[in-house]
Amino acid sequence: MRIQNISFMILSAYLCFATAWADEALVMSPPFSIEGVDPYSEDLYLYLSDANKVHLAISIEGDGQILLLNDQPPTPEQLKVLKKALADLQDQRPIDPQASQAIDYIIQFLSK
C-alpha cells in the first residue's frame, strides 16, 4: 500500500506540473522581442521573449516539415498569435538579418 501511495503522489505532482506547463504554454503575450537565432543548428531555431518575459523557442525541424513552439506542436490559437506577432516584429527596425530571414521563413511556413 505504501508504494502505491508514493507512486500516486509522484503521479499527482507530475500531472500538476504538466498542467501548469500546458497552461503557461497557451499564453503568449505580444509584443515579442528577439533573443537570437541558433546559427549552428541544422534546423531553424528562433528565440524570442514575450511581453511577460516568457522565453519562446520556435523551431522548424525535419526538412522544414514540423513547426514546434518550446518543443511542442502549437495549438491553433498559438499559431494565430504567433503569425500576427511575428509580422508585427518584422515591421520593427532594425532587425538582425539572420533573425529577419528566420521570421520571414516562419511566416511563410505558417501561411501554407
Side-chain angles (χ1 to χ4, degrees), residues 10 13 17 26 28 40 45 59 64 72 74 79 96 99 101 104 109:
I10 292 170
F17 287 124
L26 292 175
M28 293 186 300
Y40 302 108
Y45 282 89
S59 59
Q72 299 292 319
L79 289 173
D96 176 70
Q101 288 176 342
D104 283 342
F109 183 89

Side-chain angles (χ1 to χ4, degrees), residues 33-48 56-60 86 89 95-106:
S33 302
I34 299 171
E35 298 280 323
V37 176
D38 185 349
Y40 302 108
S41 175
E42 291 180 16
D43 299 316
L44 170 66
Y45 282 89
L46 176 65
Y47 301 102
L48 306 169
L56 307 169
I58 302 167
S59 59
I60 296 183
L86 288 175
L89 186 60
I95 295 180
D96 176 70
Q98 277 187 317
S100 181
Q101 288 176 342
I103 291 169
D104 283 342
Y105 188 80
I106 293 168

Side-chain angles (χ1 to χ4, degrees), residues 27-29 31 49-54:
V27 178
M28 293 186 300
S29 301
S49 60
D50 73 358
N52 295 322
K53 303 298 181 206
V54 173

Side-chain angles (χ1 to χ4, degrees), residues 1-99:
M1 283 289 211
R2 187 165 238 202
I3 293 174
Q4 289 175 339
N5 289 342
I6 292 171
S7 296
F8 180 73
M9 288 180 353
I10 292 170
L11 178 61
S12 295
Y14 173 78
L15 290 175
C16 287
F17 287 124
T19 301
W21 185 83
D23 289 343
E24 180 181 305
L26 292 175
V27 178
M28 293 186 300
S29 301
F32 293 165
S33 302
I34 299 171
E35 298 280 323
V37 176
D38 185 349
Y40 302 108
S41 175
E42 291 180 16
D43 299 316
L44 170 66
Y45 282 89
L46 176 65
Y47 301 102
L48 306 169
S49 60
D50 73 358
N52 295 322
K53 303 298 181 206
V54 173
H55 295 283
L56 307 169
I58 302 167
S59 59
I60 296 183
E61 301 177 9
D63 295 328
Q65 300 298 314
I66 301 169
L67 183 129
L68 298 175
L69 176 63
N70 291 349
D71 295 324
Q72 299 292 319
T75 65
E77 184 61 34
Q78 287 173 327
L79 289 173
K80 289 178 193 173
V81 171
L82 188 60
K83 187 174 180 180
K84 180 169 181 354
L86 288 175
D88 291 344
L89 186 60
Q90 189 68 297
D91 291 337
Q92 298 175 9
R93 297 287 177 221
I95 295 180
D96 176 70
Q98 277 187 317

